[in-house]
Amino acid sequence: MSSNRLPAILIGIAVLLFLIYSSVFVVNEREQAIVVRFGEIQDVKAEPGLYFKLPFAFMDADRVQYVEDRALRFDLDDIRVQVRGGAFYEVDAFVVYQISDPRRFRETVSGDREAAEARLRTRLDAALRRVYGLRNFDAALSDERSQMMQEVNAQLRDAAESLGLAVRDVRIRRTDLTQEVSQQTFERMKAERLAEAELIRARGNELGQTRRAIADRQVVEIVSAAQRDSEIIRGEGDAERTRIFGEAFGRDPGFFEFYRSMRAYVASIADQGTTMVLSPDSEFFKYLNNSQGGSAGVSSQTPTAPPAAAGASPGVPAAPANGG
């Protein structure tokens, strides 16, 4: 009798365990659970933990649908937008969102993330075109970029809330020129840089000429000042020499005259390229004719003249050197 009850007991235990297993579900910290009973949302479990439900989900009693409870992201790549002025650009953007209302998320898109992202992607595309169309291309590269993202976020907010989603952030990853616009922009920037380079060269040449002119004027001024100072110093030296000669002549006129005559004799004899023809009673030989060194009359004897250089022209008298 006991052997006949054992299979029944085991079956009962198995059925009980199956009922318990079918009645329990677990929600972790990254998920939310939607309990659906006969197609209607019965409850939403947003807190992590162990929960119970009616068994036999295969009979459409209670079914649990899990949705994400963390930040999610989807990207929108290579969107061709037109800015103010008619030019086209390629834009990449992404959206960070979170399922904030699981009940509405289930009611609108049956809890399907791909369907929700498809709808949100369409709205993001339209918002980007609208925001870029009101601005020039430079706005996306300036401080106005953050304002543009805020406007896109504001335009997505209502659409996201209608899907049970909350948009946390919108970012523009890339804004590039299209191929044809890129070439045009390159040519324009090249022309601008060449014009700027020419302007810098012209300013440099003008500044160089100005500085060279200033330097040349300073050179002339410095040379003129140096010549003036040299002439002043030279005149002062000549005046000092004349004064010294005058004082020396005043102390002993006879000696001074004798000294000048001796200098003249030396200068005339040292010159080997000139022949002097003088009269024996010339004043030039007065110190040679007078052994006493005084002024003597013309001697009857002809003094010996200094040697003359060969080939000199006769009959050309030479003046005494240094006024002798």
Side-chain angles (χ1 to χ4, degrees), residues 16-34:
L16 180 62
L17 292 175
F18 177 75
L19 290 175
I20 294 174
Y21 176 77
S22 300
S23 303
V24 175
F25 64 96
V26 178
V27 178
N28 62 39
E29 65 276 3
R30 297 178 299 175
E31 295 176 334
Q32 302 177 83
I34 304 173

Side-chain angles (χ1 to χ4, degrees), residues 38 83 117 133 187 189 222 234 239 268 311:
F38 302 111
V83 299
E117 289 181 357
E187 295 296 336
M189 294 177 64
I222 293 173
R234 187 179 294 109
S268 62

Side-chain angles (χ1 to χ4, degrees), residues 81-134:
V81 298
Q82 184 178 17
V83 299
R84 186 171 60 187
F88 288 90
Y89 297 90
E90 294 180 353
V91 177
D92 291 347
F94 69 88
V95 174
V96 177
Y97 70 95
Q98 190 172 8
I99 301 175
S100 59
D101 190 348
R103 186 180 297 271
R104 181 174 297 180
F105 182 66
R106 163 72 186 185
E107 292 173 348
T108 54
V109 293
S110 301
D112 188 354
R113 277 182 54 191
E114 293 184 359
E117 289 181 357
R119 294 189 184 184
L120 206 58
R121 185 176 285 106
T122 302
R123 298 296 180 90
L124 176 60
D125 184 286
L128 287 173
R129 295 179 187 277
R130 189 178 301 111
V131 170
Y132 271 88
L134 298 176

Side-chain angles (χ1 to χ4, degrees), residues 171-183:
R171 294 289 176 179
I172 299 172
R173 293 190 294 110
R174 179 179 67 93
T175 302
D176 283 342
L177 301 169
T178 58
Q179 186 62 31
E180 60 275 11
V181 177
S182 178
Q183 185 63 29

